[in-house]
Amino acid sequence: MKISVIIPTYNEELVITESYNRLSKVLADNKYSDYELLFINDGSVDRTIDILKEIAGRDKCVKILDFSRNFGHQAAVTAGLNQCQGDIAIIIDADLQDPPEVIPQMIEVFRQNQCNVVYGVRKARKGESIFKKLTAKIFYRTLNYLSEINFPLDTGDFRLVDRKIIDVFKSMHEKNKYIRGLISWVGFKQCPVYYERDARFAGETKYSFSKMLRFASIGLFYFSIKPLKLATSIGFLSLAAGFLLALWLILFRGSSVVNHWGSRTVYWKSFR
Ligand code: UDP
Ligand code: MG
């Protein structure tokens, strides 16, 4: 069984060597010999790509997809899923918040339960601001409330998917993907693995507030029609309110409208 590890990477010069070391150690320690570490360099402007090239030069299991600019985390994971060769793939962040040591556990659950997806559920999130934890909690619960699908709570993209799921995913051509949602949505057999999310190994988060908002809105608008229904209802309510106001003005307030609103209203005042 060939294993692909998909690692989206943006300006991670401080962590990338350590990620590579930990990932290859975990895989070697567990006697997985047939694997590829697929790093997607998402338009980094630091030394990430130089370090990756140096690592790939000495380890044939390391492969690189090098983006022409920063397209975002979800685009990087999508490219990884499209290009990976494995019978199974594991999506993992480069910053070691998702501990590589959980991977063998995921593979074990995959084997024992014969499931198609093993998703990581965060029992704890170390080293993250109260703001991030709170907004994440509110967002995932709101998404579940608004959408018809029940997404597992407190999960990110850290998950194992088998070839069936990869092929279904590849057939979806949405431009902006909310990957964790799409993978839940496709169904088949999905099992959880619980883990503690660590603090970032080094450096700062690469998810700015605006990137986070964009990501959240893609999730909401793709998986719930309630925002659309709300916009339609507001539209109709405004139309009805406008119509009633116009009626009221015509029937009861003709003269004062002329006084206050000027020449435009004179026409229908005289008409009346
Ligand atoms: N990342 C990426 N492109 C981006 C932003 C982030 O490939 O535009 C990568 C980043 O290098 C990391 C993963 O996506 O491996 C998650 O990002 P980060 O750790 O900064 O997000 P956080 O964990 O703070 O939500
Ligand atoms: Mg992180």
Side-chain angles (χ1 to χ4, degrees):
M1 183 176 74
K2 188 178 173 92
I3 302 169
S4 297
V5 185
I6 294 169
I7 314 135
T9 314
Y10 177 52
N11 290 346
E12 300 286 11
E13 61 181 4
L14 297 176
V15 307
I16 207 71
T17 309
E18 183 66 13
S19 314
Y20 163 72
N21 289 339
R22 289 242 319 252
L23 282 165
S24 33
K25 182 171 183 321
V26 160
L27 293 165
D29 284 356
N30 287 277
K31 313 226 171 348
Y32 303 121
S33 52
D34 192 9
Y35 68 86
E36 62 178 1
L37 300 181
L38 183 52
F39 287 91
I40 301 95
N41 177 43
D42 184 16
S44 301
V45 289
D46 64 357
R47 290 189 57 253
T48 300
I49 188 64
D50 303 325
I51 301 170
L52 284 176
K53 280 183 178 163
E54 187 268 315
I55 296 171
R58 59 186 152 88
D59 184 344
K60 63 175 177 34
C61 296
V62 173
K63 293 183 183 154
I64 307 170
L65 287 175
D66 191 15
F67 280 6
S68 56
R69 65 166 171 83
N70 179 239
F71 283 91
H73 172 236
Q74 298 290 288
V77 175
T78 302
L81 286 168
N82 283 337
Q83 297 296 321
C84 70
Q85 306 286 313
D87 302 301
I88 60 170
I90 291 125
I91 306 164
I92 188 166
D93 285 354
D95 61 356
L96 297 171
Q97 281 201 272
D98 307 325
E101 293 70 24
V102 178
I103 293 176
Q105 243 174 288
M106 287 182 159
I107 296 175
E108 204 40 47
V109 171
F110 166 72
R111 281 200 172 122
Q112 280 183 5
N113 298 283
Q114 299 191 338
C115 41
N116 305 93
V117 176
V118 182
Y119 55 90
V121 182
R122 301 155 175 178
K123 278 193 297 186
R125 299 168 71 126
K126 293 183 201 155
E128 285 185 318
S129 66
I130 293 177
F131 177 74
K132 178 119 187 178
K133 285 187 207 168
L134 190 72
T135 46
K137 252 201 158 62
I138 294 172
F139 168 69
Y140 290 117
R141 278 149 187 84
T142 310
L143 181 62
N144 262 359
Y145 173 73
L146 290 179
S147 84
E148 282 85 50
I149 305 152
N150 241 336
F151 299 111
L153 288 171
D154 303 318
T155 61
D157 287 329
F158 183 32
R159 60 189 64 214
L160 176 156
V161 288
D162 73 356
R163 183 45 60 184
K164 187 184 265 178
I165 299 286
I166 297 170
D167 289 342
V168 172
F169 182 83
K170 281 166 80 172
S171 71
M172 298 170 164
H173 298 294
E174 281 85 356
K175 187 161 163 270
N176 295 309
K177 288 192 167 76
Y178 178 71
I179 294 171
R180 59 200 67 174
L182 283 175
I183 294 179
S184 285
W185 177 82
V186 299
F188 298 104
K189 190 167 180 191
Q190 311 215 1
C191 308
V193 152
Y194 296 86
Y195 75 104
E196 297 208 352
R197 190 159 155 92
D198 285 334
R200 189 173 239 287
F201 175 73
E204 301 276 296
T205 178
K206 306 300 178 300
Y207 254 98
S208 59
F209 185 63
S210 62
K211 274 185 182 173
M212 245 169 69
L213 268 186
R214 206 178 111 74
F215 175 68
S217 59
I218 290 172
L220 273 181
F221 295 136
Y222 267 64
F223 286 100
S224 172
I225 55 162
K226 282 181 187 150
L228 198 63
K229 278 186 173 165
L230 185 70
T232 315
S233 309
I234 292 174
F236 275 119
L237 275 177
S238 314
L239 189 73
F243 179 74
L244 287 177
L245 181 67
L247 208 63
W248 176 71
L249 288 172
I250 292 167
L251 295 178
F252 304 113
R253 299 295 298 267
S255 57
S256 67
V257 169
V258 175
N259 293 342
H260 295 117
W261 286 6
S263 57
R264 252 183 204 226
T265 45
V266 168
Y267 167 69
W268 57 260
K269 165 71 169 51
S270 52
F271 180 77
R272 206 172 142 244

